[in-house]
Amino acid sequence: MFDTKKVREDFPILSRKVNGQTLVYLDNAATSQKPIQVIDAISQYYKEYNANIHRGLHTLSEEATIAYEDVREKIAKFIGARETNSVIFTRNTTEAINLVAHSWGRHNILPGDQIVLSAMEHHSNLVPWQMLAKDRQANLAFIELTADGQLDMESAKKVIGSPRTKLVCINHMSNALGTINPVAEIAKLARSQGATVLIDAAQSVPHLPTSVQEIDCDFLAFSFHKMLGPTGVGVLWGKPELLEAMPPFLGGGDMISAVWRDRATYNELPWKFEAGTPNIADVIASGVAIDYLQNLGMENVRAHEIELTEYALKKFTTLNDVVIYGPPNAKDRGGVISFNFAQVHPHDLGQILNESGIAIRAGHHCCQPLMRDLNVSGTARASFYIYNTKEEVDLLMAALEEANKVMGHVAFR
Ligand code: 7TS
């Protein structure tokens, strides 16, 4: 296990004050904070070797190209992918999923086909499929959830088992419930129907050891800003044979092989899907984020989160009038705790906690259909990462107790 106190020293933002109190940052499911090593890598690139990649013959361009392409290799290893050219850089998870919806979806989904999702998908893994279904006259079908916020596997078998199922898109870890989904099992079910599988790994790659070979999926999408990296870098991993067969998503520079007035041939993988100048500095810094996580060890990252989540869940049960969503056991969930108090609106809670320097999130978490199923307008959500401590959980609990006392009382009057 790593030393959390030592880890914290690498994060300059953690020593800032918010409303006179030391920041307690518990909004990691939205975006993580960045260690100084990542911040420095960005400025080092601009200070020392800023140049466009893949084009110049000069030293700066060569250095930038090597640094950029090295990150692709690191990512392939990090997610257990065999081929480096199966890693495509995008802006974020959302763009990665849209790439598949446009490029694979519009060439493979036929009228009457079924796209299977779950009832706990983020809008990013829902709206692109709604758009595709509308475009192709296909249908969406949903795996329902159990009362404790897990996938109902009977429902999964039934829905995926339809002979019309062509595509299954599911998150590995829910940003709203924290649930870790049995994605390998889902992928196996899908495969037995000959369906293609996309995993929204936005919450899992930052927090769990991940292997695309073990999951045996066709596509996997995630964002670096949730795993110590900068904003503006996402990844789509895809099986090379699928990516080879897909047309480009965006047209322009870098994605071509040869261009005539009336036509073009396309570059090979992965560049076929990377039109225009990419986010060079942030991709390079994302490589440093991977180094950081690998130094800690992803098994240790996971163990730290189980420990914190178990600790927090136990403390939550001592609070009055609180409902916790998602699985009761920390081993079935990531470091995300969604909750509501009977008498306090989650937005009020967020504001009150902010007065104590505690950053949580309140709202629908981009999961409006799930909120409707839960019959709530939103939830309050605390989410942990490598630098969070039990002391911070204690501060959260004390602030929640106080807020419930004050606001619950106001509501009662
Ligand atoms: N999928 C899941 C499961 C997510 O949690 C998020 C972002 C996305 C997709 C989209 O990622 P992006 O990088 O393209 O924005 N989730 C959250 C959240 O929970 N609060 O803010 C963003």
Side-chain angles (χ1 to χ4, degrees):
M1 187 61 95
F2 51 86
D3 180 353
T4 308
K5 292 226 160 54
K6 223 159 163 212
V7 165
R8 291 180 70 83
E9 287 168 11
D10 289 331
F11 291 78
I13 208 167
L14 295 180
S15 53
R16 80 158 275 185
K17 303 268 186 229
V18 172
N19 293 320
Q21 309 286 329
T22 302
L23 170 68
V24 175
Y25 186 76
L26 300 175
D27 194 16
N28 293 287
T31 200
S32 77
Q33 296 303 344
K34 324 300 174 197
I36 191 67
Q37 292 86 337
V38 167
I39 299 167
D40 283 350
I42 297 170
S43 65
Q44 191 192 6
Y45 163 77
Y46 285 120
K47 279 191 220 157
E48 296 175 16
Y49 58 106
N50 169 49
N52 213 328
I53 55 168
H54 300 149
R55 297 167 197 200
L57 287 173
H58 58 83
T59 299
L60 265 51
S61 178
E62 261 175 43
E63 287 177 6
T65 304
I66 290 168
Y68 179 89
E69 291 298 338
D70 275 356
V71 178
R72 205 188 299 277
E73 208 171 311
K74 265 185 202 169
I75 292 169
K77 289 204 180 101
F78 192 68
I79 59 170
R82 281 195 208 97
E83 300 86 356
T84 302
N85 69 359
S86 58
V87 172
I88 317 284
F89 287 115
T90 63
R91 280 185 305 148
N92 46 40
T93 304
T94 304
E95 189 177 79
I97 294 173
N98 275 276
L99 192 165
V100 177
H102 275 266
S103 192
W104 183 90
R106 278 166 179 76
H107 290 84
N108 289 280
I109 295 292
L110 301 171
D113 281 349
Q114 177 167 281
I115 301 167
V116 175
L117 311 170
S118 86
M120 60 165 110
E121 297 310 316
H122 187 282
H123 296 164
S124 291
N125 195 30
L126 169 59
V127 180
W129 308 121
Q130 292 174 344
M131 292 160 76
L132 174 65
K134 195 165 175 204
D135 202 43
R136 303 297 294 153
Q137 285 107 51
N139 302 306
L140 300 183
F142 291 84
I143 302 170
E144 300 300 339
L145 310 187
T146 60
D148 65 357
Q150 310 208 47
L151 291 184
D152 178 340
M153 291 310 284
E154 285 311 309
S155 167
K157 279 177 202 150
K158 200 164 147 212
V159 178
I160 296 173
S162 156
R164 298 313 309 251
T165 299
K166 194 76 171 274
L167 176 66
V168 178
C169 306
I170 200 111
N171 71 82
H172 193 174
M173 186 198 291
S174 161
N175 68 312
L177 298 172
T179 316
I180 296 173
N181 289 316
V183 282
E185 211 177 316
I186 294 287
K188 205 168 160 197
L189 285 174
R191 203 155 305 291
S192 70
Q193 292 295 319
T196 298
V197 180
L198 176 140
I199 304 298
D200 172 356
Q203 295 294 342
S204 58
V205 169
H207 300 269
L208 309 173
T210 305
S211 161
V212 290
Q213 286 181 61
E214 274 172 30
I215 299 171
D216 196 17
C217 53
D218 296 293
F219 298 106
L220 181 111
F222 60 98
S223 300
F224 268 94
H225 69 91
K226 294 185 198 287
M227 49 190 284
L228 310 181
T231 51
V233 182
V235 167
L236 172 70
W237 170 85
K239 283 203 170 139
E241 59 271 27
L242 290 183
L243 294 173
E244 290 283 4
M246 283 158 55
F249 177 36
L250 301 172
D254 242 24
M255 54 72 71
I256 52 87
S257 169
V259 182
W260 293 264
R261 278 194 168 186
D262 60 342
R263 75 202 136 88
T265 54
Y266 305 130
N267 205 341
E268 56 194 30
L269 286 179
W271 306 291
K272 180 172 82 172
F273 291 108
E274 292 179 13
T277 301
N279 191 350
I280 304 163
D282 293 318
V283 164
I284 292 169
S286 297
V288 178
I290 290 197
D291 293 343
Y292 196 99
L293 287 171
Q294 272 179 332
N295 279 339
L296 297 180
M298 287 309 291
E299 297 289 347
N300 294 327
V301 170
R302 173 70 184 132
H304 171 72
E305 270 169 41
I306 290 182
E307 196 179 321
L308 267 190
T309 307
E310 231 159 35
Y311 182 75
L313 284 173
K314 210 183 253 172
K315 293 245 159 181
F316 260 101
T317 59
T318 65
L319 297 174
N320 289 328
D321 308 325
V322 75
V323 179
I324 298 168
Y325 304 96
N329 192 329
K331 295 214 159 46
D332 298 326
R333 61 196 295 158
V336 170
I337 301 181
S338 246
F339 57 95
N340 264 323
F341 284 97
Q343 307 266 31
V344 192
H345 193 279
H347 279 130
D348 292 338
L349 207 54
Q351 275 175 7
I352 296 170
L353 263 60
N354 186 51
E355 284 166 22
S356 310
I358 302 174
I360 62 159
R361 179 149 293 225
H364 53 67
H365 315 297
C366 296
C367 295
Q368 286 185 8
L370 173 66
M371 295 298 130
R372 271 190 208 101
D373 289 349
L374 296 173
N375 208 16
V376 294
S377 62
T379 71
R381 182 187 72 182
S383 51
F384 309 126
Y385 210 18
I386 51 172
Y387 33 72
N388 290 125
T389 62
K390 286 183 179 166
E391 291 74 31
E392 289 182 316
V393 173
D394 291 342
L395 288 170
L396 170 70
M397 291 303 152
L400 287 176
E401 202 164 357
E402 183 61 23
N404 188 34
K405 223 184 273 171
V406 175
M407 295 300 292
H409 178 66
V410 170
F412 183 70
R413 278 167 61 199

